[in-house]
Amino acid sequence: MRQQVFQFFSKVLAQVQHPLLHYLNVHRPVQKLLRLGGTVPGSQTEKEEVQFTTVLCSKIQQDPALLTYILEGKKIVSRKKSSKEPITLPREAASIQDKDHPHSKSPDMSPCKAQALTAQLPAETEEPDGGVGESNLITSLIGLCKSKKGRVALKAQENLLLLVSVASQAAATYLVHSSPCCPAIVEHLCQLYQSMPTFLDPADIAALEGISWRLPSAPSDEASFPGKEALAAFLGWFDYCDHLITEAHVVVADALAKAVAEKLFMEILQPHLLHVSEQSVLTSTALLTAMLRQLRSPALLREAVAFLLGADPQPAAPEDGPRSLCAHLIGHCDHLSDEISITTLRLFEELLQKPHEQVLRSLVLCNLEGRHYVARGSPEPESYEDTLDLEEDPYFTDGFLNASFQPSAKPPPAPATNSDGKTAVTEIVNRVLSLSFLCLVPEEAKTSAFLEETGYDTYVHDAYGLFQECSSRVAPWGWPLGPTPLDPHEPERPFFEGHFLRMLFDRMSRILEQVVNRTGPWLQGYKPYSLNLQVTSVLSRLALFPHPLIHEYLLDPYINLAPGCRSLFSVLVRVIGDLMQRIQRVPQFPGKLLLVRKQLMGQVPGEQLDHQTLLQGVVVLEEFCKELAAIAFVKFPPHSPHLHLSPPQEGHV
C-alpha cells in the first residue's frame, strides 16, 4: 500500500501544472510521506521513495521558495501554533487528538488521561531545528544515499545535488541555517571514515586512485585486501562531497566545506596525524594524500590548505619548535620510520600540485622574500646573461660539450635568432645552465650512456610539458617577472631557508647513505632508493614553479651566496665531492654501478651487492641532475615570451 501511495503522489505532483506545494494542506501531507519513507534501511519502497524525492527536488529547482515549505519540520509548525494560541486545556487537547486520529475518539476520556496526552505533545514536536535526527527531505535523501541498491543510491545523490544547487540566496541560506543538510552529509562522511580498519597499507590506498561517487565500488581487477570496500565507500563519498561543494550555491558550498574541515579534518584526522602510533600516522597521512588527489572544489581546497599550513604563514626561524600541524608534518618527512617519511613527502608533493598560492608561500616563498641568501656589497648584473663568463666557467669546456650533446641526447633545436641576437643569447644561457647541472656527476659515475631510453632529451620533453602545466596553474597569481633588485648598502641579515627546504636539503645531502629503517612488518622488501626518489621528486616539483626567487635559489648555479647560506646547487656540489672520495674505496666501481642500474630497471635479476646503497644513490643522483638540467633549460629566462600561458578555467582545481 505504501508503494501505491508514493507512486500516486509522485505522478500527481509531477503532472499538476498549478503550484500547490505552498498550500498548508498539500505540503503537510508531503512532509508526513517523507517521514514514512527513509526510516528503515533496505525497505521495499526505496525505488518509489527516490522517485517521490526526485519530483520534489525538481519542483524546488523550478521554484526555490518552496524549499521552506518542504523542509518545514514538526517543531516549526508547533512553534507557529504555540505563538498564536493559548496553552491547550485538557478538553482542547482531546479534541486535537480526535481530529488527528478520528478512529481513537473516546467521549469518556478522563482528565488524567487528557493531561497525560497534553504532556506528550511537546515531546513529539520539540526536536532541535535543523537537527540530524529530524525526518524531512534532507534526511530522506541521506538515508536513500546509503541504499545497497546502486541505482537508488545514485539517484538520491543526484537529487541531493539538485537540491543544494538552488540559485536563490534565501533558499541556500535556509538550507544552511534551518536544515540538517551540512551536518547530515558530513556525519555520514565521518562514519565511513571510522568504519575503515585502523591500519591500511599506503600502497593499497594508492591502488584505489580514481574512485568516483558515480562508481564508488572498488575495481574488481585490483587485489583484495582487508577494508577494501570500506575504503572505496569513504573515498566515493568524499568525492561526492567535493562535487557537491563544487556545484552548490556559494553559501551552501562554504558551509559544507567548513563542516568537512571541522568534523573530519580537525576532530578526526588531526589527532591521528599527531598520534604516537606509527601505524596511525602512516594510515592517516596516506588517506589525506588520497583525499587531496581527489579534491577539485576551490572552497574545500581553501579549508584543506588552512588546516595543513595554517591561516597566516610567517617566516620561520631555525630555533622554532614544531608548534603547528605543518611543522609536525615536515618533521615526519625526516622520521625514524622511512615509510612515514616517504608517505609524508608524497603528501607535500600532492599539495604542491594544487592551485593555491598559499601552499608555496607558506612552505617556501615567505622565507625567500628579501633575498637575504644573496651576498650584499657586490653590484648585481643587469640580466642573467651578464652573470655568465663562459671562458672561466669550469663546466663549459669543449670536451664536455661534445660528450653531452650527442645526437641521441640533443635538446630541441634553438629558435631562429632575431635581429638583435637576443634569442641566440638566451639559447646559450639555457644550455649553460643545463650543462652546469649535467656536468656535476663525474664521468666515472655516469651509466645512462650505456643504456637506451635514458637520454637527456626525454627529460627535456617531460619537463616542457610539466612546466607548461605549472605555468598555466599559477598564471592568475600575478607573480613578478624578475627578482627585486638588492640595495648594495643594505646590511646582511641572517638567512634561514625555512623548515621545509632545510628538510629537503638535509635529505638531499644524505642521498648516498640513506637506508630504509624497517620499523614495522609492512616494510618488508621496501627498496632503499625509494626515499631518495621521493625527495628528488618533491625538489623537481618545486623547481618547476616560474617564480623568480624559486628559480634563482634552486636553479641558478652562479648565484653569489651570502656566508653560511646554501642553495640546491651548493648542496649537490658537496654531495659530488663526497662521492669522489667514496668512489676510491669501491673496487670495480663502474661495473657494479652499471649492474645496479640494470637491476633498478628490471633488466637483470636483483642480487645483493656490496655498497648497494651508495650505488643506488649514485644512479638517483645522476638522473636527478639530468632532470634539473632539463627544467633549467625549459624555464630560463623566467620572462621568456613562450611562457605566457592561458590560465585554467575557473571553478576547477
Side-chain angles (χ1 to χ4, degrees):
M1 188 62 194
R2 187 180 298 175
Q3 289 178 332
Q4 297 300 321
V5 171
F6 275 116
Q7 289 178 356
F8 173 76
F9 280 104
S10 297
K11 292 179 180 178
V12 168
L13 292 176
Q15 295 179 13
V16 68
Q17 299 299 318
H18 185 77
L20 296 175
L21 284 172
H22 62 282
Y23 290 112
L24 179 68
N25 290 335
V26 176
H27 68 251
R28 189 69 56 77
V30 166
Q31 295 166 5
K32 290 183 179 180
L33 274 179
L34 289 171
R35 287 194 292 271
L36 285 176
T39 56
V40 180
S43 67
Q44 299 299 317
T45 59
E46 284 184 337
K47 180 180 177 181
E48 289 74 21
E49 291 171 25
V50 79
Q51 289 175 349
F52 185 61
T53 59
T54 301
V55 174
L56 292 178
C57 290
S58 62
K59 292 292 183 181
I60 294 173
Q61 183 74 11
Q62 296 170 9
D63 184 7
L66 294 175
L67 184 66
T68 57
Y69 297 101
I70 302 300
L71 292 185
E72 187 181 51
K74 281 186 174 183
K75 185 174 180 181
I76 301 175
V77 178
S78 175
R79 282 182 172 177
K80 288 180 179 179
K81 286 185 176 181
S82 62
S83 63
K84 296 178 181 179
E85 299 178 5
I87 299 175
T88 307
L89 297 176
R91 286 187 180 274
E92 295 169 337
S95 64
I96 292 174
Q97 176 71 5
D98 295 341
K99 187 182 295 185
D100 288 343
H101 304 282
H103 296 289
S104 62
K105 183 175 181 179
S106 175
D108 300 327
M109 180 178 288
S110 65
C112 294
K113 289 183 179 180
Q115 289 177 1
L117 177 61
T118 307
Q120 290 175 357
L121 283 176
E124 243 180 36
T125 59
E126 289 186 5
E127 292 184 5
D129 289 340
V132 178
E134 182 183 345
S135 180
N136 57 23
L137 179 59
I138 298 293
T139 54
S140 296
L141 286 173
I142 296 293
L144 291 170
C145 288
K146 303 175 185 178
S147 172
K148 300 298 182 182
K149 301 174 184 177
R151 292 185 177 180
V152 171
L154 179 61
K155 191 62 180 177
Q157 290 173 347
E158 292 175 346
N159 291 342
L160 186 57
L161 181 63
L162 195 68
L163 195 64
V164 301
S165 60
V166 290
S168 168
Q169 175 85 11
T173 304
Y174 185 89
L175 199 61
V176 168
H177 297 292
S178 304
S179 82
C181 179
C182 296
I185 293 172
V186 177
E187 180 186 9
H188 183 47
L189 180 66
C190 296
Q191 289 173 350
L192 290 174
Y193 184 94
Q194 293 170 335
S195 68
M196 292 186 294
T198 55
F199 172 70
L200 289 169
D201 194 311
D204 293 334
I205 297 176
L208 288 186
E209 180 181 355
I211 291 290
S212 169
W213 66 275
R214 294 186 179 275
L215 296 172
S217 58
S220 57
D221 56 342
E222 298 289 345
S224 180
F225 56 88
K228 178 180 179 180
E229 294 301 326
L231 174 62
F234 168 75
L235 293 178
W237 190 255
F238 180 82
D239 182 63
Y240 177 66
C241 292
D242 181 65
H243 192 74
L244 277 179
I245 296 172
T246 302
E247 300 295 332
H249 189 281
V250 62
V251 174
V252 181
D254 289 341
L256 186 54
K258 291 178 180 178
V260 172
E262 179 183 350
K263 296 299 181 181
L264 179 63
F265 294 164
M266 297 293 296
E267 295 184 8
I268 297 180
L269 264 176
Q270 181 165 304
H272 291 171
L273 291 170
L274 302 177
H275 204 275
V276 295
S277 168
E278 291 185 359
Q279 290 188 359
S280 178
V281 172
L282 190 62
T283 301
S284 56
T285 305
L287 284 171
L288 185 55
T289 305
M291 286 186 275
L292 279 178
R293 191 175 297 118
Q294 286 187 306
L295 200 152
R296 296 291 181 271
S297 60
L300 189 53
L301 175 62
R302 182 177 62 248
E303 295 295 333
V305 170
F307 164 69
L308 288 170
L309 305 179
D312 186 21
Q314 297 293 333
E319 63 274 7
D320 289 347
R323 294 191 297 263
S324 63
L325 176 62
C326 179
H328 279 92
L329 291 175
I330 292 175
H332 289 172
C333 294
D334 205 355
H335 199 273
L336 288 176
S337 167
D338 284 307
E339 186 158 2
I340 289 181
S341 298
I342 293 172
T343 305
T344 312
L345 283 166
R346 287 174 181 161
L347 171 66
F348 279 107
E349 183 179 10
E350 195 64 43
L351 193 59
L352 286 171
Q353 298 178 62
K354 293 301 176 183
H356 199 291
E357 189 176 7
Q358 187 181 339
V359 174
L360 208 63
R361 182 160 299 280
S362 299
L363 295 177
V364 178
L365 289 179
C366 65
N367 297 286
L368 298 184
E369 291 174 346
R371 301 176 66 197
H372 298 295
Y373 50 86
V374 179
R376 261 59 173 178
S378 57
E380 279 198 292
E382 295 182 0
S383 65
Y384 282 98
E385 291 84 351
D386 296 339
T387 64
L388 307 179
D389 189 348
L390 304 185
E391 295 181 358
E392 297 180 4
D393 185 5
Y395 306 117
F396 197 87
T397 62
D398 293 338
F400 180 72
L401 279 174
N402 296 333
S404 301
F405 289 98
Q406 294 180 359
S408 61
K410 195 171 185 178
T417 306
N418 55 17
S419 57
D420 58 0
K422 263 194 162 183
T423 308
V425 174
T426 297
E427 183 67 18
I428 293 174
V429 171
N430 289 0
R431 291 177 181 267
V432 170
L433 285 179
S434 300
L435 292 173
S436 298
F437 285 100
L438 283 174
C439 71
L440 275 175
V441 181
E443 291 298 324
E444 55 268 31
K446 293 181 179 180
T447 53
S448 59
F450 299 98
L451 300 173
E452 296 180 357
E453 299 181 357
T454 57
Y456 172 67
D457 54 342
T458 304
Y459 281 103
V460 172
H461 180 272
D462 294 343
Y464 185 72
L466 291 172
F467 182 57
Q468 280 190 317
E469 177 187 345
C470 182
S471 299
S472 299
R473 191 167 62 243
V474 306
W477 301 346
W479 279 347
L481 297 178
T484 305
L486 295 176
D487 183 1
H489 305 291
E490 181 183 0
E492 292 185 356
R493 297 179 183 176
F495 169 71
F496 176 54
E497 62 266 30
H499 294 289
F500 187 64
L501 282 177
R502 180 174 68 174
M503 175 272 301
L504 291 175
F505 286 176
D506 290 346
R507 278 294 195 186
M508 196 66 215
S509 64
R510 304 197 301 267
I511 190 173
L512 301 179
E513 56 190 20
Q514 294 188 109
V515 181
V516 168
N517 300 310
R518 291 178 173 83
T519 57
W522 58 89
L523 293 175
Q524 297 300 322
Y526 211 80
K527 298 179 180 180
Y529 65 88
S530 299
L531 179 58
N532 288 333
L533 289 177
Q534 193 57 51
V535 172
T536 57
S537 180
V538 175
L539 282 168
S540 299
R541 287 285 178 187
L542 275 178
L544 282 167
F545 283 98
H547 195 284
L549 296 182
I550 293 178
H551 184 88
E552 179 182 52
Y553 189 61
L554 295 183
L555 293 179
D556 188 356
Y558 301 95
I559 183 175
N560 187 17
L561 290 173
C565 297
R566 59 179 179 173
S567 66
L568 178 57
F569 190 80
S570 69
V571 171
L572 291 174
V573 168
R574 292 187 180 95
V575 172
I576 295 300
D578 184 28
L579 172 62
M580 295 300 294
Q581 297 179 5
R582 291 170 179 260
I583 287 178
Q584 307 302 324
R585 300 193 293 266
V586 180
Q588 301 177 347
F589 179 82
K592 291 182 179 179
L593 184 62
L594 182 59
L595 178 61
V596 166
R597 176 180 278 274
K598 290 182 178 180
Q599 289 178 354
L600 296 178
M601 297 179 66
Q603 296 182 359
V604 296
E607 61 178 276
Q608 190 67 30
L609 299 174
D610 294 335
H611 309 284
Q612 189 158 9
T613 301
L614 170 65
L615 297 171
Q616 291 175 344
V618 174
V619 173
V620 175
L621 180 62
E622 180 188 358
E623 297 304 309
F624 181 53
C625 288
K626 288 160 59 178
E627 189 173 12
L628 289 178
I631 294 173
F633 181 82
V634 301
K635 277 186 68 177
F636 194 91
H639 53 275
S640 178
H642 71 276
L643 302 182
H644 294 172
L645 305 169
S646 58
Q649 296 180 359
E650 294 184 0
H652 294 276
V653 173

